[in-house]
Amino acid sequence: MSVFSRLFGFREEQPTKADPSRFAVVDTEVGVNDHRIHDIGAIRFDDAVFHQTSKAELMTFLKGVDFVCGHNIIHHDAKYLFGEERHRWILVDTLYLSPLLFPTHPYHRLVKNDKLMTEEMNNPVNDR
């Protein structure tokens, strides 16, 4: 598997005819101490919004999606969402795209305009 394939989640067994217009952007909020999902937010290509804690419901929401995008999805969110299970989606991780698009800001932290107070809980739908 090439470096590009590992970074962007491509797998050799995935279909080569994936439709880039069929995507979803996903974010999870995972507890620092308990390492459990506390919240999941997603937006699909058809503007449908998902905001729950159920992984099973998220899998239903992602039916018909070819690409799942997220910030640090490959090395963080996917571990909690899919575990070691195989998934059909091509993962696109904006963690690796961010320094390419914004070379003067090579950090990976997202600026969260909705979260001005640091003690407020993150909203994964707004993190997209």
Side-chain angles (χ1 to χ4, degrees):
M1 183 178 282
S2 72
V3 171
F4 184 83
S5 296
R6 283 195 308 269
L7 289 178
F8 294 102
F10 289 97
R11 296 179 180 201
E12 279 76 17
E13 70 275 1
Q14 289 176 320
T16 57
K17 292 284 187 179
D19 182 350
S21 70
R22 302 185 65 78
F23 67 92
V25 179
V26 177
D27 186 43
T28 60
E29 296 302 327
V30 176
V32 174
N33 296 324
D34 64 5
H35 303 283
R36 296 180 57 151
I37 294 176
H38 291 253
D39 205 359
I40 305 169
I43 298 179
R44 205 171 46 209
F45 61 91
D46 59 359
D47 293 329
V49 175
F50 177 91
H51 192 189
Q52 298 181 36
T53 57
S54 169
K55 292 192 298 185
E57 291 292 324
L58 177 66
M59 298 310 134
T60 300
F61 180 81
L62 294 176
K63 285 191 190 305
V65 167
D66 291 331
F67 293 85
V68 175
C69 309
H71 198 73
N72 203 13
I73 192 167
I74 291 174
H75 296 292
H76 184 265
D77 294 12
K79 171 175 58 175
Y80 295 99
L81 292 172
F82 313 124
E84 295 298 319
E85 296 175 26
R86 297 179 78 80
H87 55 84
R88 64 173 291 290
W89 302 286
I90 298 169
L91 301 179
V92 178
D93 198 327
T94 61
L95 176 68
Y96 301 104
L97 299 175
S98 182
L100 298 173
L101 296 172
F102 306 102
T104 60
H105 301 289
Y107 54 85
H108 81 275
R109 295 189 70 191
L110 293 172
V111 176
K112 299 180 180 188
N113 295 329
D114 71 307
K115 187 180 170 201
L116 300 178
M117 304 293 288
T118 57
E119 58 274 351
E120 291 178 1
M121 190 142 169
N122 286 331
N123 181 336
V125 173
N126 290 342
D127 285 354
R128 66 192 190 293

